[in-house]
Amino acid sequence: PLYIYICLGKPSGGHRTITKTPILYRLTCRHDQVRGNVKVWENSISTKFDSATKGKSVKIAALLRNFKADVSSLCGDTPAANLFDFEKCFDTIDQEALIDMANTEHYPLKAACNAIQQHVGPRRVQVHNITSNIVMTSVSIIAGCLHSVPFVKGYLREDIENFNSIFPDAPME
């Protein structure tokens, strides 16, 4: 499969990149069985400090985090937070390590085979109807795909658990 990354201008300046993926892949991702298998896997690897799960609000998580930081600061502690910028996070995922994670963490096999083929495929960049030569990358996954967030959760889970074991008293929420 070949992917075309289209750079769209923003009214406020800068650009936003979207990916044209094959329609068969998009239809496969929307299939209830694929979605269900991926959600079951994602729930199986979720941890108590995972705030990106069904039924949890990003705004509520941010408000609670800020509230706890304020109270902690008033009590004389030094609060800290480790937040991920997912815009750049997807562009830093090592594809070989992602494949290893999918294998060791038992990501649903059919979904993993199809998704990984899409995420590691050749790419082209298009700006104003001008298309680049093929670009191959070993670091980066497609943002906005059904599998992107579960892939990142699996990819980062071991590191987050290691951090939590080194600093067990740090509240991980």
Side-chain angles (χ1 to χ4, degrees), residues 13 37 128:
N37 290 341
H128 297 294

Side-chain angles (χ1 to χ4, degrees), residues 75-143:
C75 292
D77 292 333
T78 304
N82 186 8
L83 307 174
F84 298 105
D85 179 351
F86 280 101
E87 178 182 356
K88 293 173 184 61
C89 182
F90 292 126
D91 292 332
T92 61
I93 301 294
D94 180 271
Q95 294 171 349
E96 189 175 327
L98 178 69
I99 294 168
D100 289 343
M101 178 282 301
N103 185 37
T104 58
E105 296 290 336
H106 306 290
Y107 197 88
L109 184 59
K110 287 181 183 177
C113 291
N114 194 14
I116 288 171
Q117 182 181 17
Q118 308 306 313
H119 286 273
V120 303
R123 304 170 184 191
R124 290 182 181 239
V125 178
Q126 188 176 67
V127 180
H128 297 294
N129 294 326
I130 299 170
T131 306
S132 74
N133 291 328
I134 290 177
V135 176
M136 295 300 294
T137 179
S138 61
V139 177
S140 180
I141 61 172
I142 301 168

Side-chain angles (χ1 to χ4, degrees), residues 34-53:
V34 172
R35 285 186 139 168
N37 290 341
V38 171
K39 286 294 175 195
V40 166
W41 179 85
E42 188 177 0
N43 289 337
S44 76
I45 66 155
S46 288
T47 59
K48 65 180 182 178
F49 42 82
D50 188 354
S51 61
T53 58

Side-chain angles (χ1 to χ4, degrees), residues 21-38 109-115 117-118 145-147:
T21 55
I23 193 159
L24 184 59
Y25 177 66
R26 291 195 310 268
L27 289 173
T28 303
C29 285
R30 291 186 178 147
H31 190 274
D32 289 340
Q33 184 178 6
V34 172
R35 285 186 139 168
N37 290 341
V38 171
L109 184 59
K110 287 181 183 177
C113 291
N114 194 14
Q117 182 181 17
Q118 308 306 313
C145 167
L146 165 78
H147 302 279

Side-chain angles (χ1 to χ4, degrees), residues 47-49 82 156-172:
T47 59
K48 65 180 182 178
F49 42 82
N82 186 8
L156 296 175
R157 185 174 78 120
E158 185 178 342
D159 290 335
I160 292 170
E161 287 177 346
N162 288 341
F163 178 87
N164 194 39
S165 67
I166 294 168
F167 302 100
D169 295 332
M172 298 285 285

